[in-house]
Amino acid sequence: MMFAGFTSAFVVKRDIAGWTTLTIPRAFWYSTATILVSSLTIQMALRSFKEREMLRYRNLLTVTAVLGILFMLLQWAGFREIWHSGITFKGSGAGQFLYVIAGLHLAHVLGGVIALLAMLARAYVSKTRSYNSIPVELMATWWHFVDILWIYLLIFFIVVK
């Protein structure tokens, strides 16, 4: 709901005098590809867990976490590109909304990466083999959520400007 509120505010505010638009930085396109691949790897990790292929599960969870970190780094590079183009927090326009909206999305991805790292620690350290797939399913659902949300936000900023 928070993202719906912010994107609605963006639509309302874009007609004010002095509104500035922005070009989506190249790093955001790379981060999009990264998060799409990570969505695939988390789904494969879930399948591996359910099939009790624990080595494959751990490897795919590791790849997903690394891709999540790479996504965040690419987003940071995109923010820097926008900042260096002269779009800062001063003034009004799409850039200011992008910082807030994409920044909040980034916070959700960071939460997911932290959860992935906790799951990884448990997968590597845990002596007890519990094959309860609910935590893995919840993590996959969260990861798909942040993936779909990013696709929505990217399309929104491209189309609505």
Side-chain angles (χ1 to χ4, degrees), residues 34 37-42 44-45 56-71 113 116-117 120 124 143:
T34 302
V37 172
S38 74
S39 206
L40 177 65
T41 59
I42 191 74
M44 291 168 61
R56 188 166 188 247
Y57 163 71
R58 279 185 247 151
N59 289 339
L60 287 165
L61 210 58
T62 302
V63 170
T64 304
V66 168
L67 289 170
I69 293 166
L70 180 59
F71 174 84
V113 167
L116 279 170
L117 294 174
L120 266 173
Y124 279 103
W143 205 253

Side-chain angles (χ1 to χ4, degrees), residues 11-138:
V11 170
V12 170
K13 293 284 191 176
R14 72 182 173 165
D15 291 330
I16 65 172
W19 182 263
T20 56
T21 60
L22 67 100
T23 303
I24 301 297
R26 185 183 318 253
F28 280 11
W29 294 104
Y30 296 135
S31 70
T32 301
T34 302
I35 203 164
L36 285 171
V37 172
S38 74
S39 206
L40 177 65
T41 59
I42 191 74
Q43 192 62 38
M44 291 168 61
L46 173 60
R47 185 179 323 132
S48 297
F49 185 87
K50 287 181 176 181
E51 293 171 357
R52 296 184 180 192
E53 296 179 20
M54 297 311 285
L55 179 61
R56 188 166 188 247
Y57 163 71
R58 279 185 247 151
N59 289 339
L60 287 165
L61 210 58
T62 302
V63 170
T64 304
V66 168
L67 289 170
I69 293 166
L70 180 59
F71 174 84
M72 292 188 300
L73 292 171
L74 288 166
Q75 290 281 292
W76 183 256
F79 286 139
R80 287 178 45 98
E81 186 179 328
I82 293 168
W83 190 270
H84 291 305
S85 74
I87 299 173
T88 63
F89 289 115
K90 295 179 182 175
S92 67
Q96 290 75 15
F97 271 92
L98 181 76
Y99 286 128
V100 172
I101 295 170
L104 286 170
H105 177 265
L106 200 57
H108 284 77
V109 173
L110 175 61
V113 167
I114 291 168
L116 279 170
L117 294 174
M119 289 179 70
L120 266 173
R122 184 172 182 210
Y124 279 103
V125 174
S126 179
K127 300 282 185 210
T128 308
R129 292 290 183 219
S130 168
Y131 288 100
N132 178 5
S133 66
I134 291 174
V136 184
E137 290 171 1
L138 288 172

